[in-house]
């Protein structure tokens, strides 16, 4: 039986692949997509999301979400890290892992009138067999919980890409999605969801996609497969120049791993149930603080630590074959 999913994205090169996987895979029944400020300003992430939905011919409703983090932008004294990994092309021109706008045709699709937070608050006014997958900053969810705190009881499962126990990418100790809106993340982690599964950098840096995997995408040759190849090629170049992983010619493809986990939970090979808090100040701003003490009694997050990267790629290939 397919799983009902609402996907929250800040599209984003890896978000784009997550959207395609969720829209195309028969095990996922995509109910709605919500956009949020993150990898790019809200106008860009919303437009980029529309373009990807057009590519996979999905008519799922799109709700535009929050334009600002809940607190961060009103704290000018906060430490700002500007260490966005910048690679250079053969002409010395800089490029980033996420483009302002992706290369797909401009979209004429209209978003729904309701803001994403209101949609969540109303949709989860009663119990639903629907899972939320959040792969951008957690601003939409935090504001939805402020509107309707009872909604947390009515969400089947919440799967988040974010944070890192050991690994980090936005500061020496924080990951981008959490660092971009730490207060929202702390609110979400402590809100009392029935089950939170976290895919942090510790697992997404292991579930890598390689140049050989990209060849499989090219062989499949559908619009989704070719666009996934394009996203991965850019990401591989940036990883190679700025953030080498344990395999050569490979990239992390963080966001779709959350969808793959829902399709086949065995793609995650190591998971621990622990307590997670988010640091809200100073040098550790936005860090996920994981309590590993055995006597803790307030566990709130199932954290993924390892995954089967071959299975992950197979799952994506299965979905991309269905793109027309
Ligand atoms: C996360 O940050 C974003 O840049 C990616 O889309 C992913 O969701 C990885 O840290
Ligand atoms: Ca993302």
């Amino acid at each position: 039986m397919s799983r009902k999913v609402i996907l929250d994205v800040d599209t984003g090169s890896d978000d784009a692949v997550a959207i395609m996987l969720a829209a195309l895979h028969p095990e996922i029944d995509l109910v709605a997509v919500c956009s949020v400020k993150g990898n790019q300003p809200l106008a860009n992430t919303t437009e980029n999301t529309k373009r990807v939905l057009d590519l996979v011919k999905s008519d799922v409703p799109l709700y535009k979400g929050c334009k600002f983090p809940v607190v961060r932008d009103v704290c000018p004294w906060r430490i700002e890290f500007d260490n966005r990994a910048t690679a250079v092309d053969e002409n010395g021109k800089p490029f980033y892992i996420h483009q302002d706008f992706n290369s797909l045709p401009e979209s004429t699709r209209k978003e729904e009138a309701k803001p994403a937070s209101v949609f969540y608050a109303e949709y989860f006014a009663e119990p639903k067999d629907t899972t939320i997958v959040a792969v951008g900053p957690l601003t939409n969810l935090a504001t939805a919980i402020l509107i309707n705190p009872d909604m947390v009881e009515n969400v089947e499962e919440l799967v988040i890409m974010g944070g890192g126990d050991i690994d980090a990418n936005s500061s020496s100790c924080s990951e981008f999605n959490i660092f971009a809106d730490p207060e929202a993340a702390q609110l979400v982690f402590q809100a009392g969801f029935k089950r939170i599964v976290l895919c942090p950098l510790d697992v997404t840096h292991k579930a890598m996609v390689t140049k050989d995997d990209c060849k499989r995408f090219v062989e499949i040759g559908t619009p989704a497969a070719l666009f996934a190849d394009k996203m991965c090629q850019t990401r591989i170049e940036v990883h190679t120049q700025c953030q080498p992983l344990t395999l050569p010619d490979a990239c992390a493809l963080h966001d779709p791993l959350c969808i793959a986990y829902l399709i086949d939970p065995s793609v995650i090979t190591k998971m621990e149930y622990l307590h997670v808090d988010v640091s809200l100040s100073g040098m550790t701003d936005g860090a996920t603080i994981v309590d590993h003490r055995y006597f803790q009694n307030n566990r709130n997050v199932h954290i993924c630590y390892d995954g089967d990267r071959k299975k992950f790629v197979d799952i994506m290939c299965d979905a991309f074959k269905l793109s027309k």
Side-chain angles (χ1 to χ4, degrees), residues 70-117:
V70 291
V71 176
R72 185 173 192 97
D73 280 10
V74 294
C75 292
W77 55 86
R78 237 176 176 167
I79 298 171
E80 275 295 341
F81 299 93
D82 185 16
N83 64 350
R84 202 159 54 132
T86 315
V88 288
D89 67 14
E90 58 281 4
N91 303 314
K93 202 170 150 240
F95 65 97
Y96 299 101
I97 210 158
H98 306 287
Q99 294 173 295
D100 295 358
F101 289 104
N102 61 37
S103 58
L104 296 169
E106 218 170 297
S107 180
T108 53
R109 178 185 295 257
K110 295 270 169 287
E111 61 267 13
E112 305 297 309
K114 253 178 227 173
S117 313

Side-chain angles (χ1 to χ4, degrees), residues 35-53:
S35 61
V36 68
K37 174 195 160 138
N39 288 317
Q40 295 292 339
L42 181 67
N44 302 48
T45 62
T46 306
E47 170 63 21
N48 286 336
T49 302
K50 290 179 185 178
R51 292 179 186 189
V52 178
L53 289 172

Side-chain angles (χ1 to χ4, degrees), residues 10 14-15 39 135-136 177 255:
D10 60 331
D14 54 336
D15 304 76
N39 288 317
V135 297
N177 288 341
D255 297 346

Side-chain angles (χ1 to χ4, degrees), residues 163-175 283-288:
D165 190 342
I166 305 293
D167 290 7
N169 62 7
S170 284
S171 72
S172 57
C173 56
S174 69
E175 178 279 333
M283 289 302 289
T284 58
D285 206 19
T288 39

Side-chain angles (χ1 to χ4, degrees), residues 1-7 18-33 58 60 130-131 133 159 256-265 315 319 322:
M1 210 180 70
S2 62
R3 303 241 352 215
K4 283 190 191 160
V5 166
I6 298 172
L7 181 56
I19 295 167
M20 297 194 295
L21 179 56
L24 291 169
H25 203 287
E27 295 292 318
I28 301 290
D29 174 6
L30 191 57
V31 173
V33 177
S58 168
V60 69
T130 305
T131 291
V133 178
V159 184
L257 186 63
C258 297
I259 303 291
Y261 158 73
L262 290 176
I263 293 165
D264 181 355
I315 291 169
L322 300 172

Side-chain angles (χ1 to χ4, degrees), residues 91-288:
N91 303 314
K93 202 170 150 240
F95 65 97
Y96 299 101
I97 210 158
H98 306 287
Q99 294 173 295
D100 295 358
F101 289 104
N102 61 37
S103 58
L104 296 169
E106 218 170 297
S107 180
T108 53
R109 178 185 295 257
K110 295 270 169 287
E111 61 267 13
E112 305 297 309
K114 253 178 227 173
S117 313
V118 176
F119 161 66
Y120 280 123
E122 291 180 358
Y123 182 89
F124 289 107
E126 57 200 46
K128 290 276 164 57
D129 55 351
T130 305
T131 291
I132 300 173
V133 178
V135 297
L138 294 166
T139 322
N140 292 341
L141 268 185
T143 48
I145 294 165
L146 293 175
I147 298 169
N148 174 12
D150 297 336
M151 69 168 269
V152 298
E153 309 276 337
N154 298 331
V155 178
E156 186 174 75
E157 184 170 358
L158 169 60
V159 184
I160 297 170
M161 190 284 129
D165 190 342
I166 305 293
D167 290 7
N169 62 7
S170 284
S171 72
S172 57
C173 56
S174 69
E175 178 279 333
F176 176 78
N177 288 341
I178 307 298
F179 182 72
D181 196 346
E183 281 77 13
Q186 174 67 347
L187 196 152
V188 167
F189 285 134
Q190 313 314 327
F193 281 96
K194 286 188 288 197
R195 178 176 161 92
I196 299 179
V197 172
L198 184 68
C199 286
L201 296 174
D202 308 78
V203 68
T204 61
H205 283 169
K206 289 177 186 138
M208 291 166 276
V209 175
T210 65
K211 281 207 167 164
D212 283 343
D213 299 325
C214 288
K215 283 187 195 150
R216 286 180 68 190
F217 297 160
V218 173
E219 272 162 27
I220 291 169
T222 58
L226 295 177
F227 192 59
D229 169 59
K230 196 167 187 174
M231 296 296 97
C232 290
Q233 295 292 352
T234 306
R235 295 183 65 86
I236 289 171
E237 197 50 46
V238 175
H239 270 286
T240 304
Q241 290 190 37
C242 311
Q243 194 187 12
L245 298 167
T246 51
L247 285 180
D249 290 332
C251 68
L253 201 56
H254 314 278
D255 297 346
L257 186 63
C258 297
I259 303 291
Y261 158 73
L262 290 176
I263 293 165
D264 181 355
S266 73
V267 78
I268 300 299
T269 53
K270 185 180 175 200
M271 195 188 265
E272 286 187 46
Y273 190 35
L274 297 164
H275 184 81
V276 176
D277 273 303
V278 178
S279 172
L280 301 176
S281 65
M283 289 302 289
T284 58
D285 206 19
T288 39

